[in-house]
Amino acid sequence: MGLRSLIHRLTAPSINDTVPVGNYRLAIIVNTSLKMKKGKIAAQVGHGAVKAALSCASKKPACMDAWLSSGQAKICLKGVDDEQLLSLQQQAKDAGIQAISIRDAGRTQIPAGSLTVVAIGPARDEELDPITGALKLL
């Protein structure tokens, strides 16, 4: 168990609900139409992962615990454009899965407000596959 997982276990509120057993992951879809450089992509993926994890921890602590316990898997996928990312985000929300969007501040490579990534989950693999299964790895 990593230090972060240990701290989470010690400080997290008690979990009253249960979640299904299984493998959990966080899917992060990158908007490839923006032609971001590697470092920019890494920063935006990081923003998405942190925001999704914090939101999950506060809204669904049992799901967060299951994700932490199953290895904190993350997968980065290629998204075509804003329209596709927003569609995937809506599909996730319709399925009851958390979906977080990240928009850039516009200080470096791309215009302010650009939709850079959508982070879906953490959720069970079986829940994510119908939404993100057709996407290619980044």
Side-chain angles (χ1 to χ4, degrees), residues 37-95:
K37 294 182 181 176
K38 291 176 191 177
K40 184 67 168 179
I41 291 171
Q44 297 303 302
V45 167
H47 291 321
V50 169
K51 188 172 179 181
L54 291 173
S55 178
C56 184
S58 68
K59 295 177 182 172
K60 294 184 175 183
C63 181
M64 181 65 166
D65 191 51
W67 180 59
L68 290 171
S69 298
S70 68
Q72 305 169 37
K74 293 164 276 311
I75 184 169
C76 293
L77 304 164
K78 292 180 183 180
V80 177
D81 56 19
D82 288 32
E83 185 178 319
Q84 184 187 35
L85 268 68
L86 292 172
S87 173
L88 292 166
Q89 182 178 22
Q90 190 59 53
Q91 287 176 50
K93 287 182 177 182
D94 290 346

Side-chain angles (χ1 to χ4, degrees), residues 102-120:
I102 301 297
R103 294 192 177 268
D104 193 63
R107 294 187 191 108
T108 57
Q109 298 176 18
I110 56 178
S114 297
L115 177 61
T116 57
V117 302
V118 167
I120 301 175

Side-chain angles (χ1 to χ4, degrees), residues 18-24 62 66 124 126-127:
T18 59
V19 295
V21 175
N23 291 318
Y24 286 73
R124 287 183 310 129
E126 302 82 40
E127 295 174 302

